[in-house]
Amino acid sequence: MRRTFPILITVVVGWVLIVADFIPHKPFGNLGDDFALYFDIIAVFAFILGGGNLFRIHLTKVQKKKKDWPFSIVTLGGFIVMLAAGLFKIGNPGGIQGDVAAVGSLFNDMYMQIFTPLQASMFALLAFFVGSASYRAFRAKTTEATILLIAAFIVLLGRTPFGLWLTSGLTGDMSFLQLPNLTDWIMDVPNLAGQRAIMIGIALGVISMSLRLILGVERTYLGGDSD
Amino acid sequence: MGYSVISGLRKSVPTCIIALTLLLGPSAFAQESPDTATVDSVFVSEAVESAASPRAAQLNVVQDSRGDAGGAISVKWFRSPDDGMGADNITGYEIFRSESPDGLFESVGFASRGRTSFEDATTVDGQTYYYYLATVSATGVSRSGVSAGARSSAQWLNTRDIDTLIIGFIICFSVIFFIYHAQKGKKLFLRKIAGLEAVDEAIGRATEMGRPILFIPGIQDLDNVQTVAGLTILGRIARTIADYDTKINMPVSRSIVMATARETIKQAYVAAGRPDAYSDDMVYYLTDEQFGYVAAVDGIMVREKPATCFYLGAFFAESLIMAETGNSIGAIQIAGTAMPSQLPFFIAACDYTLIGEELFAASAYLSDEPRQLGALKGQDVGKIIAMSVILVLCILFSVAAITESESILSLANTFKGWFSLS
Amino acid sequence: MTNGAMKKQSLVERLQYIDRRIIFAFIAVAVIVPLLIGAQLKEKTTPIVQAMFDNVEGLPEGSRVLLSYDYGPTTAPEIQPMVDAMVRHCAERKCKMYMMAVWATGHNLTGETIEGVLRPDFPDLEYGVDFINLGYKAGNQGLIRLILVDFKTMYSTDANNIAIDDFPMMENITSLRNFDLIVSFGGGFPGIKEWIQFAGDPGNIPIGGGCTAVGAPNLYPYYPSQLVGLLGGAKGAAEYENALIIAYPKYEDYPMAGMSLMVSQTVAHIVIIFFIVFGNVLYFILRARGMTKEGLGGVR
């Protein structure tokens, strides 16, 4: 029963929504949007669950002085201060009615001065990790790896003005061999063909997965196969 | 729990439909179908032009928008001779509407030059409306005649997506057919997926080393079918973990995913006969914020040094940051995602990567259950259709180009139209 | 074999497993130094970016362009240059600009454009007449679906809570179909793909896009049928800036953010190429000596 009921709802809702997508007339037409709204409402309540969980875990950590507990104080502090700044619109020039992100408010200041640089720093790590991952991945160990290596080499160089400078002597009939042109060809032909094939495969995978779910064949996410 | 599952699947169904439209491939904007060329409105007044004004565009069709939920009337016109090519190059067309042909007309929208249609989506069903078009240029305005009355109404069938419906039906039918066909016990061949073959070995390694397993279900909510796919694999993994008593560490970035994953793992422990060994602390929420989440996960990796990392779900730019950190601590890494742009990063940094559809097939593969495997077989029918259509279209367009035959070209375009978004 | 040869061999072997921090240090220098010097590098405009430029260039005066800020501070350094270049171009074309965000984090960034580009360089443009900041609204793709049908249900006020009916440029805006061009910046979710699926295709509205370099290959399949053009990463921004300079020579000596980033990117690419070549040379040396084995080579 514990699993039968959710599966039943899944099956009914799933099929109704598929049918509804092809029937624009009321009451079917708006079902998709209505359910999206229900999801958002549930997600908001679930956020309280998530936020509460975060608060509880870190509070316990501080109370019991578990390993690395000072970091938990930072987490709790950041959580409370940012929440209060946004909720009570501290320092907001428009008062409690003002735009939450109004320039001059504490929320906006913290967003621009703390949150933004922290976020950008994390994203910037990619530049470094791309370097180390490329160094490891691009080795001419097999034929396929060699093709990958050559393609990477052309695209990396072709994406820079250096690539154009290096092959600018190739003009006329040979101009297709200029690195930027070769790069465009790699991106537009083999890369695009591969991307499309993967996308078609994914689309079919999504259909098959969704059908398994709404037919009740796949129920592992509920914890098991049997009732 | 029930709620989260329903709400999660709510969007997986439209995702399924979006997937169908994706399958149909990126295509040209909607082409006007030939039947819209017929004028079904009788114009009740003549066009008005003055010497300084541009030549007026003339209305073509004013009719109820097809296949919609009502509340919209489609206005189509023939471009002004001055549109883009005349001496008096126009700015665009302003659409005016009234509830009576000689009543007060008010503007309902503007379409820039080059456009030949406008949808007035502010109509009340059952009310008759009359339209005219003003062709606007820097020097003046010319108006078209007033159309005959048109009324909007809701339709029972979305005729715009009829091709999606037919192809979707064929694919769905074949999946369902093979699911039930497989129940009869016919053995199906499955190619080996190295990443999935390695799952047990990866869990075993963590158990031997006495270190935890890190499971990341992506950073999207349960309304993304990739997250659901990640959780179905979690369900399989959790059974082995419960049997081996391996520690699992699962930080998540969505609250609903947290609730669902807890239930998934809990049920696996119950099934293994060890409900007492389960703890809610195995799954915990960090933050919805993408890079805040990555920072926390990287911290967990460096401090706790998990022996095995699973990344199964929807990932964006954080994929490489996590996978490279995992690589630096020497963890065995198994990834799977249907985000094509992140696949190269996972392939470069992880030991095994489930590419696109393999993520969705994983649960069926691991279960070895006939009905689940049948669904995979049904999926192949879709692939055969896609490949055949691509092949036939390639041949038709190539032949049309070589022979310069108009009839073959038109046949190819008609065929392409069936498989294009409308 | 001599001791020296033994040592040399072990050095090559050791180098195969280079400390990742060495690579990190090289990349840090490659990125930071050009930025400090402030050099700029012109980029030849590729067809996909030129198509985007031509589309904006072809817009008549007074055309309505919707700019959606679907990104956050993380990708802002990569995306903001293309936003600035395109806003500058729209302002030159005297288009009316409507700024909005389907990402909560995009809301603050609209202010960056207004204060950083429009106010200092186009002081004649008036808020509410030539450009407007509609702010962020929740709902992801649901929001796009909704405003395709009825714009004012969701946007009854601008970002500063002023009724939009008070602004002349909001007259006759009833749905997304009233816009001549929609440009979404940001390749994440929701982003360009959702704008295509829920606005461009059903509403027959031209959609353009700007996204990170990583996200661009994912969106190429939509060009040219469903996307009028696409700017990918710093290179896309630099290419757009180049097209802008050719069409409007007054920007010749103007500091362009995309072109500055391209110097760093070029040097970083060369550093990565160097490491790839270096790794392969070591690999082939070891292979020649019969010392390779599966999985050899990498970083520590």
Side-chain angles (χ1 to χ4, degrees):
Chain A
M1 190 62 200
R2 191 179 163 80
R3 275 194 292 274
T4 310
F5 192 59
I7 287 171
L8 192 69
I9 297 172
T10 308
V11 171
V12 173
V13 174
W15 283 113
V16 166
L17 282 178
I18 285 193
V19 171
D21 205 70
F22 296 99
I23 305 176
H25 204 286
K26 282 178 186 170
F28 297 97
N30 294 327
L31 275 180
D33 292 337
D34 291 346
F35 276 81
L37 205 62
Y38 300 159
F39 179 80
D40 289 342
I41 294 168
I42 294 166
V44 169
F45 282 106
F47 184 75
I48 299 170
L49 187 76
N53 176 255
L54 180 89
F55 208 81
R56 187 184 60 77
I57 284 184
H58 288 280
L59 209 58
T60 316
K61 236 177 168 180
V62 175
Q63 275 172 346
K64 295 188 177 169
K65 296 235 161 74
K66 284 187 182 173
K67 196 182 162 209
D68 299 326
W69 65 271
F71 293 130
S72 295
I73 295 181
V74 179
T75 306
L76 289 172
F79 185 80
I80 293 165
V81 173
M82 198 78 183
L83 188 71
L87 215 54
F88 304 114
K89 301 194 177 165
I90 300 168
N92 196 311
I96 199 82
Q97 295 285 332
D99 176 20
V100 69
V103 176
S105 64
L106 178 64
F107 184 85
N108 186 271
D109 285 347
M110 287 198 298
Y111 183 91
M112 297 310 287
Q113 313 303 334
I114 303 172
F115 184 71
T116 303
L118 283 176
Q119 291 268 302
S121 305
M122 282 308 293
F123 185 64
L125 284 180
L126 268 180
F128 300 98
F129 288 143
V130 162
S132 58
S134 315
Y135 181 71
R136 207 175 47 242
F138 295 120
R139 289 285 155 93
K141 288 175 186 167
T142 59
T143 315
E144 291 91 339
T146 312
I147 294 170
L148 198 68
L149 172 68
I150 295 166
F153 193 81
I154 294 170
V155 173
L156 274 169
L157 262 183
R159 283 279 155 117
T160 66
F162 188 62
L164 181 64
W165 174 79
L166 214 61
T167 50
S168 55
L170 298 164
T171 50
D173 288 347
M174 301 296 282
S175 64
F176 74 96
L177 284 174
Q178 284 184 0
L179 281 176
N181 295 338
L182 279 180
T183 301
D184 287 344
W185 183 82
I186 290 173
M187 295 306 284
D188 293 347
V189 183
N191 166 63
L192 201 56
Q195 290 271 355
R196 283 203 167 126
I198 290 176
M199 280 166 84
I200 290 172
I202 288 169
L204 289 163
V206 170
I207 294 169
S208 168
M209 177 90 199
S210 302
L211 280 172
R212 290 208 307 273
L213 291 166
I214 60 175
L215 289 171
V217 173
E218 172 63 83
R219 52 184 74 177
T220 327
Y221 63 101
L222 293 172
D225 296 333
S226 58
D227 291 324
Chain B
M1 171 62 205
Y3 281 117
S4 59
V5 172
I6 309 151
S7 49
L9 287 169
R10 189 217 66 72
K11 287 187 191 166
S12 83
V13 174
T15 311
C16 170
I17 292 154
I18 293 163
L20 271 174
T21 50
L22 239 177
L23 167 67
L24 298 176
S27 67
F29 286 128
Q31 299 291 313
E32 282 185 29
S33 56
D35 60 343
T36 53
T38 56
V39 178
D40 68 352
S41 299
V42 179
F43 298 106
V44 295
S45 78
E46 292 301 315
V48 179
E49 286 181 26
S50 63
S53 310
R55 282 171 286 178
Q58 289 306 319
L59 285 168
N60 174 4
V61 183
V62 177
Q63 64 183 14
D64 180 22
S65 292
R66 290 176 184 181
D68 67 355
I73 288 175
S74 160
V75 181
K76 292 183 178 178
W77 58 88
F78 299 109
R79 286 164 63 178
S80 156
D82 288 329
D83 186 344
M85 50 200 121
D88 188 1
N89 202 356
I90 66 159
T91 339
Y93 307 96
E94 189 155 15
I95 298 94
F96 287 86
R97 183 184 82 185
S98 172
E99 290 179 10
S100 78
D102 44 8
L104 186 66
F105 278 81
E106 57 176 17
S107 170
V108 286
F110 184 88
S112 60
R113 66 179 177 199
R115 306 276 288 270
T116 54
S117 67
F118 178 82
E119 195 167 67
D120 175 14
T122 56
T123 61
V124 175
D125 287 355
Q127 170 72 48
T128 305
Y129 294 99
Y130 300 84
Y131 292 84
Y132 77 79
L133 198 67
T135 307
V136 185
S137 81
T139 54
V141 176
S142 310
R143 48 168 286 191
S144 70
V146 176
S147 75
R151 273 183 294 220
S152 63
S153 62
Q155 276 84 52
W156 282 99
L157 183 64
N158 181 357
T159 45
R160 299 178 195 197
D161 292 339
I162 202 80
D163 44 2
T164 311
L165 180 65
I166 294 168
I167 296 169
F169 182 79
I170 295 170
I171 295 171
C172 290
F173 177 79
S174 50
V175 171
I176 295 167
F177 173 80
F178 280 105
I179 286 175
Y180 290 99
H181 186 67
Q183 275 181 316
K184 291 178 184 168
K186 199 177 172 205
K187 188 75 187 161
L188 296 169
F189 168 76
L190 267 185
R191 73 179 163 87
K192 283 200 167 193
I193 300 177
L196 295 174
E197 299 278 315
V199 165
D200 282 342
E201 178 203 330
I203 299 172
R205 180 173 181 258
T207 314
E208 280 169 20
M209 294 171 81
R211 291 215 226 135
I213 285 170
L214 186 75
F215 192 99
I216 309 291
I219 61 158
Q220 291 276 285
D221 220 326
L222 209 60
D223 58 352
N224 189 311
V225 72
Q226 295 183 58
T227 312
V228 181
L231 291 183
T232 59
I233 305 171
L234 172 72
R236 305 277 167 210
I237 292 172
R239 297 229 193 127
T240 319
I241 288 169
D243 285 338
Y244 290 178
D245 200 18
T246 317
K247 196 184 165 207
I248 185 166
N249 199 343
M250 187 172 172
V252 297
S253 73
R254 305 284 162 162
S255 310
I256 294 182
V257 177
M258 177 185 81
T260 315
R262 279 181 176 172
E263 190 70 13
T264 307
I265 298 177
K266 191 175 178 179
Q267 291 303 322
Y269 272 81
V270 171
R274 309 181 60 244
D276 296 344
Y278 168 79
S279 154
D280 268 353
D281 290 345
M282 291 171 173
V283 188
Y284 49 95
Y285 170 82
L286 290 172
T287 166
D288 273 42
E289 191 44 56
Q290 183 185 16
F291 287 97
Y293 177 70
V294 173
V297 169
D298 273 10
I300 291 164
M301 280 187 192
V302 173
R303 285 192 301 272
E304 299 189 9
K305 298 207 166 27
T308 303
C309 299
F310 289 100
Y311 312 100
L312 300 164
F315 291 87
F316 293 86
E318 69 286 349
S319 63
L320 185 68
I321 301 178
M322 291 198 283
E324 270 296 287
T325 309
N327 185 281
S328 73
I329 57 164
I332 280 198
Q333 304 201 94
I334 299 176
T337 187
M339 306 298 283
S341 57
Q342 304 307 321
L343 283 168
F345 296 135
F346 275 141
I347 290 168
C350 296
D351 299 281
Y352 302 99
T353 305
L354 305 176
I355 297 170
E357 60 185 302
E358 290 177 350
L359 171 71
F360 301 114
S363 175
Y365 186 97
L366 289 170
S367 73
D368 207 28
E369 198 218 329
R371 287 195 306 170
Q372 296 239 30
L373 299 178
L376 299 186
K377 184 87 176 166
Q379 195 177 321
D380 286 347
V381 174
K383 272 190 200 168
I384 291 167
I385 294 174
M387 285 191 286
S388 312
V389 169
I390 291 169
L391 197 68
V392 170
L393 278 173
C394 282
I395 293 170
L396 279 178
F397 277 109
S398 304
V399 171
I402 294 164
T403 59
E404 293 179 4
S405 159
E406 284 292 323
S407 53
I408 297 176
L409 186 65
S410 109
L411 177 73
N413 277 322
T414 310
F415 191 53
K416 183 183 154 198
W418 295 346
F419 297 93
S420 299
L421 287 173
S422 56
Chain C
M1 200 173 278
T2 63
N3 279 344
M6 289 287 284
K7 269 183 191 167
K8 201 175 173 186
Q9 274 181 359
S10 63
L11 178 69
V12 173
E13 272 186 295
R14 276 215 307 274
L15 281 172
Q16 277 280 295
Y17 293 97
I18 194 167
D19 189 324
R20 68 182 66 226
R21 284 169 296 190
I22 294 173
I23 301 176
F24 293 171
F26 270 91
I27 289 176
V29 173
V31 173
I32 294 167
V33 172
L35 281 178
L36 290 177
I37 294 169
Q40 294 202 155
L41 209 54
K42 272 193 182 174
E43 271 291 319
K44 190 181 157 203
T45 311
T46 51
I48 193 166
V49 176
Q50 190 66 45
M52 186 75 244
F53 184 87
D54 291 344
N55 209 279
V56 177
E57 187 67 15
L59 290 173
E61 189 176 315
S63 297
R64 295 153 170 174
V65 180
L66 184 78
L67 304 161
S68 187
Y69 288 63
D70 310 332
Y71 61 102
T74 39
T75 48
E78 201 175 355
I79 292 178
Q80 200 66 38
M82 59 181 84
V83 180
D84 291 352
M86 206 175 277
V87 164
R88 204 176 287 284
H89 191 197
C90 288
E92 292 288 352
R93 296 301 308 159
K94 295 191 170 54
C95 296
K96 298 201 180 300
M97 288 168 274
Y98 301 77
M99 298 160 192
M100 61 168 281
V102 292
W103 277 41
T105 44
H107 179 76
N108 289 56
L109 298 161
T110 47
E112 299 269 298
T113 311
I114 294 171
E115 300 304 327
V117 178
L118 293 176
R119 296 252 193 252
D121 294 347
F122 300 92
D124 295 343
L125 297 187
E126 202 180 322
Y127 185 84
V129 178
D130 303 298
F131 65 93
I132 190 168
N133 181 6
L134 296 166
Y136 160 76
K137 289 274 183 273
N140 295 338
Q141 70 272 42
L143 171 74
I144 301 173
R145 277 169 76 147
L146 206 60
I147 59 176
L148 173 67
V149 180
D150 191 354
F151 199 82
K152 289 186 178 172
T153 308
M154 288 310 288
Y155 286 102
S156 55
T157 63
D158 76 342
N160 302 312
N161 285 332
I162 299 169
I164 56 166
D165 290 335
D166 294 349
F167 299 110
M169 67 187 288
M170 292 307 293
E171 272 176 31
N172 298 331
I173 298 282
T174 52
S175 88
L176 283 179
R177 291 187 173 92
N178 301 129
F179 292 98
D180 299 298
L181 177 68
I182 296 173
V183 188
S184 165
F185 297 102
F189 172 85
I192 299 168
K193 208 179 267 183
E194 283 65 37
W195 277 104
I196 294 171
Q197 281 173 349
F198 299 105
D201 282 346
N204 196 8
I205 310 160
I207 305 280
C211 64
T212 55
V214 169
N218 231 357
L219 293 162
Y220 285 145
Y222 294 95
Y223 171 81
S225 306
Q226 289 154 292
L227 260 183
V228 297
L230 181 71
L231 279 62
K235 188 171 189 293
E239 288 179 22
Y240 201 91
E241 289 165 354
N242 183 48
L244 195 65
I245 290 170
I246 292 169
Y248 302 89
K250 66 174 182 178
Y251 289 116
E252 186 66 49
D253 298 321
Y254 206 84
M256 292 287 192
M259 291 185 174
S260 301
L261 283 175
M262 272 317 287
V263 186
S264 291
Q265 187 170 312
T266 302
V267 181
H269 274 207
I270 291 167
V271 167
I272 292 174
I273 291 169
F274 166 77
F275 273 107
I276 292 173
V277 172
F278 179 69
N280 278 284
V281 168
L282 293 179
Y283 172 75
F284 280 109
I285 292 173
L286 287 179
R287 200 163 81 166
R289 293 175 185 174
M291 290 185 62
T292 57
K293 58 178 185 284
E294 191 58 38
L296 185 65
V299 286
R300 262 195 294 253

